């Protein structure tokens, strides 16, 4: 059984990691789909698809999740929501269910006849990418408590915190 977990992961945080662990108890393999892969260097999407791949791959390795249990696949958005589920299907290995909470994502896959499952919410107040980006912009080091060590390392290596602050101006 293979599952698909779509997200922007801007950045990947402990909430996302908890969803991945939860999903891997239900499926043999998980496709982590990095959506909006064409986006980067903006306030809502500061990190490139490649940087997000590094964050996720390094984190799953940090947590000893075997690499044969997951795929990390970047995919640019398309302008037609009505065919997005088919667009996704044509770029990734076959999957049996979609794991996610985003209402548009759930609707589009349901309409395409794909089974969906909502993961629990994991401390959404803190494990929230918008909040984490806000803390980074405000130079508030509390963001480092909300993401895995591997994500901090990637962000520091690429000077992603400085990038975000400069985007805001
Ligand atoms: P995200 O904000 O990174 O979230 C990814 C998933 O993790 C969501 O299901 C989210 O639920 C869940 N999550 C986040 N924090 C959590 C926590 N603490 N506990 C439990 N679950 C948590 O990414 P997204 O914006 O949903 O990503 C959807 C992607 O699909 C985007 O790239 C979007 O552009 C793409 N998409 C593209 C098209 C198109 O190209 N036409 C159409 C639809 C979607 P919540 O939603 O509740 O935060």
């Amino acid at each position: 059984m293979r599952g698909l977990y779509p997200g922007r992961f801007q950045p990947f945080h402990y909430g996302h990691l908890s969803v991945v662990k939860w999903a891997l108890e239900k499926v043999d393999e998980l496709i982590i789909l990095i959506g909006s892969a064409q986006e980067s260097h903006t306030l809502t999407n500061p990190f490139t698809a490649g940087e997000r791949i590094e964050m996720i791959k390094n984190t799953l390795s940090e947590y000893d999740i075997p690499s044969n249990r997951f795929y990390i696949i970047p995919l640019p958005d398309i302008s037609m929501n009505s065919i997005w589920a088919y667009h996704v299907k044509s770029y990734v290995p076959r999957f049996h269910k979609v794991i996610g909470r985003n209402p548009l994502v759930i609707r589009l896959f349901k309409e395409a006849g794909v089974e969906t499952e909502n993961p629990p919410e994991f401390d959404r107040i803190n494990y929230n990418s918008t909040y984490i980006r806000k803390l980074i912009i405000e130079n508030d080091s509390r963001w480092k408590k909300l993401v895995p060590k591997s994500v901090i390392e990637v962000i520091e290596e690429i000077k992603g915190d400085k990038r975000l602050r400069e985007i805001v101006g």
Side-chain angles (χ1 to χ4, degrees), residues 65-79:
I65 298 175
S67 56
N68 63 359
R69 303 266 338 259
F70 62 87
Y71 302 76
I72 305 172
I73 300 182
L75 187 69
D77 293 336
I78 56 169
S79 56

Side-chain angles (χ1 to χ4, degrees), residues 14-166:
Y14 282 126
H16 295 134
L17 177 62
S18 299
V19 173
V20 168
K21 288 179 174 171
W22 177 87
L24 282 173
E25 285 173 13
K26 299 179 172 287
V27 296
D28 304 307
E29 292 183 358
L30 187 65
I31 302 165
I32 302 168
L33 184 81
I34 300 188
S36 308
Q38 81 285 2
E39 297 280 352
S40 72
H41 295 79
T42 68
L43 190 56
T44 46
N45 289 294
F47 306 115
T48 67
E51 290 161 351
R52 289 176 274 162
I53 290 173
E54 286 188 46
M55 290 175 198
I56 299 170
K57 181 183 166 284
N58 295 356
T59 298
L60 300 192
S61 164
E62 180 187 340
Y63 282 83
D64 294 325
I65 298 175
S67 56
N68 63 359
R69 303 266 338 259
F70 62 87
Y71 302 76
I72 305 172
I73 300 182
L75 187 69
D77 293 336
I78 56 169
S79 56
M80 287 180 72
N81 281 336
S82 56
I83 58 167
W84 181 67
Y86 305 95
H87 172 64
V88 172
K89 276 184 170 187
S90 65
Y91 275 89
V92 306
R94 287 166 298 156
F95 56 91
H96 308 91
K97 75 160 77 161
V98 168
I99 284 150
R101 306 185 53 85
N102 180 316
L104 177 62
V105 167
I106 298 299
R107 165 164 292 277
L108 297 180
F109 277 109
K110 271 194 177 145
E111 288 188 10
V114 179
E115 186 190 336
T116 63
E117 192 166 353
N118 267 24
E121 299 186 86
F122 297 98
D123 187 6
R124 289 196 63 90
I125 305 287
N126 289 302
Y127 299 150
N128 171 316
S129 294
T130 305
Y131 177 56
I132 293 168
R133 293 193 301 271
K134 179 172 175 288
L135 292 176
I136 294 175
I137 289 164
E138 292 170 353
N139 220 342
D140 183 332
S141 62
R142 280 180 297 170
W143 71 269
K144 294 186 182 178
K145 300 244 179 283
L146 308 178
V147 302
K149 183 165 76 56
S150 299
V151 173
I152 300 174
E153 283 170 3
V154 172
I155 291 179
E156 290 186 341
E157 278 165 23
I158 63 169
K159 299 188 170 45
D161 44 353
K162 187 163 178 270
R163 180 191 296 169
L164 245 175
R165 286 194 283 276
E166 289 180 357

